[in-house]
């Protein structure tokens, strides 16, 4: 987590903390008040995911109060820089540890999972299981497909789900993670697969979200609903 990102997050959280001694003193009636609460809530969740769950809300409020009131700051700039550097180091160490743990757990999971009946391991290392068979056509890398999916970590935690949203999505076969590119081309329309995707065929060391630790094995329940007509796909993309 970069220093400016941390500072910006703290500043946003402080907007709803400044001058508030307790939750009962805050009114959430006007759009501005509700939006202020939403900013604080979202940034608070983000900070917690970054390992900043010990942030002192009273100190945050004091800082914003001094700044708005143009009071003399209670800490020198070099003290603040040192404090941010310490938090940055702690965050990096935490992420490194999570990445190492995810890598170790993922390798063990795939090794054991590959021994299960019905699980097929391809040359790339992708593992898949056919949940529901069908005789529909198979997509090519150049196709746009309609799918329903639910993505989980190996501990079962759901990080994304079109099923929960109640709306399938259209996507280009070649425009997704490598594990999906390969898996989709194995499927027939109407089939349901469970994909077990090694980290190198997913996001690798570059996590797209705090909900997905770096080097994570991803598990997807994937249903191929259809292959879009190329002309219609172009029309939809132009809208």
């Amino acid at each position: 987590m970069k220093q400016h990102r941390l500072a910006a997050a703290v500043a946003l959280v402080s907007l709803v903390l400044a001058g508030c001694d307790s939750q009962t003193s805050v009114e959430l009636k006007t759009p501005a008040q509700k939006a202020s609460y939403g900013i604080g809530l979202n940034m608070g969740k983000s900070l917690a995911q970054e390992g900043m769950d010990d942030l002192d809300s009273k100190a945050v409020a004091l800082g914003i109060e001094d700044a708005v009131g143009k009071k003399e700051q209670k800490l020198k700039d070099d003290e603040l820089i040192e404090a941010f550097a310490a938090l940055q180091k702690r965050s990096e160490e935490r992420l490194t540890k999570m990445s190492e743990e995810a890598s170790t757990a993922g390798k063990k999971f795939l090794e054991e999972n590959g021994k299960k009946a019905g699980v097929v391991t391809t040359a790339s290392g992708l593992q898949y299981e056919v949940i529901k068979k069908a005789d529909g056509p198979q997509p090519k890398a150049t196709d746009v497909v309609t799918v329903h999916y639910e993505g989980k970590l190996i501990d079962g935690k759901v990080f994304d789900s079109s099923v929960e949203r109640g709306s399938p999505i259209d996507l280009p076969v070649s425009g997704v993670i490598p594990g999906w590119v390969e898996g989709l081309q194995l499927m027939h329309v109407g089939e349901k697969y469970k994909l077990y995707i090694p980290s190198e065929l997913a996001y690798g060391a570059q996590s797209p979200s705090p909900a997905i630790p770096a080097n994570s094995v991803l598990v997807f329940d994937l249903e191929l609903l259809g292959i879009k007509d190329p002309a219609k796909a172009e029309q939809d993309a132009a809208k």
Side-chain angles (χ1 to χ4, degrees):
M1 180 169 55
K2 302 299 183 183
Q3 178 176 323
H4 70 271
R5 179 181 171 189
L6 177 61
V10 169
L12 283 170
V13 173
S14 66
L15 288 175
V16 295
L17 294 174
C20 298
D21 295 327
S22 68
Q23 292 182 356
T24 57
S25 65
V26 180
E27 290 190 347
L28 302 175
K29 296 180 179 179
T30 69
Q33 288 170 335
K34 292 177 181 178
S36 297
Y37 176 74
I39 290 171
L41 187 65
N42 289 335
M43 296 310 302
K45 289 179 179 179
S46 177
L47 286 167
Q49 289 177 327
E50 295 283 358
M52 286 291 297
D53 49 2
D54 61 345
L55 193 70
D56 189 327
S57 60
K58 291 183 179 179
V60 173
L62 180 61
I64 194 69
E65 183 180 345
D66 285 351
V68 172
K70 298 181 179 180
K71 300 177 183 178
E72 182 178 355
Q73 63 187 57
K74 293 177 173 56
L75 295 173
K76 296 179 180 179
D77 286 343
D78 57 352
E79 292 180 280
L80 295 175
I81 292 172
E82 183 179 357
F84 278 118
L87 293 184
Q88 167 103 17
K89 181 181 179 182
R90 187 181 72 175
S91 177
E92 290 173 350
E93 290 174 347
R94 173 178 172 271
L95 291 175
T96 297
K97 181 180 179 182
M98 289 176 63
S99 174
E100 292 173 349
E101 290 175 345
S103 179
T104 300
K107 290 176 181 178
K108 182 178 179 181
F109 173 84
L110 290 172
E111 182 179 351
E112 294 299 319
N113 191 64
K115 300 175 184 177
K116 294 180 179 179
V119 174
V120 179
T121 303
T122 70
S124 69
L126 173 70
Q127 295 180 354
Y128 70 91
E129 187 176 357
V130 180
I131 306 302
K132 175 187 174 184
K133 289 189 65 66
D135 297 321
Q138 289 178 285
K140 303 182 296 294
T142 53
D143 285 331
V144 173
V145 295
T146 302
V147 300
H148 246 326
Y149 70 92
E150 183 165 82
K152 303 176 184 178
L153 302 178
I154 59 175
D155 63 3
K157 181 179 179 181
V158 176
F159 59 82
D160 191 16
S161 175
S162 70
V163 177
E164 286 186 1
R165 292 190 294 272
S167 177
I169 65 168
D170 296 335
L171 51 85
V173 173
S174 61
V176 289
I177 58 175
W180 269 50
V181 174
E182 180 179 356
L184 282 168
Q185 293 180 83
L186 295 172
M187 300 178 69
H188 297 78
V189 171
E191 288 189 327
K192 293 182 180 181
Y193 272 35
K194 186 178 285 288
L195 301 181
Y196 307 91
I197 304 180
S199 63
E200 59 269 23
L201 298 179
Y203 299 108
Q206 302 300 317
S207 170
S209 163
I212 303 175
N215 295 321
S216 291
V217 169
L218 305 182
V219 180
F220 284 95
D221 292 305
L222 180 61
E223 181 178 10
L224 180 57
L225 299 175
I227 301 173
K228 298 202 73 174
D229 177 75
K232 188 175 187 304
E234 289 182 7
Q235 291 175 358
D236 292 343
K239 291 181 180 179

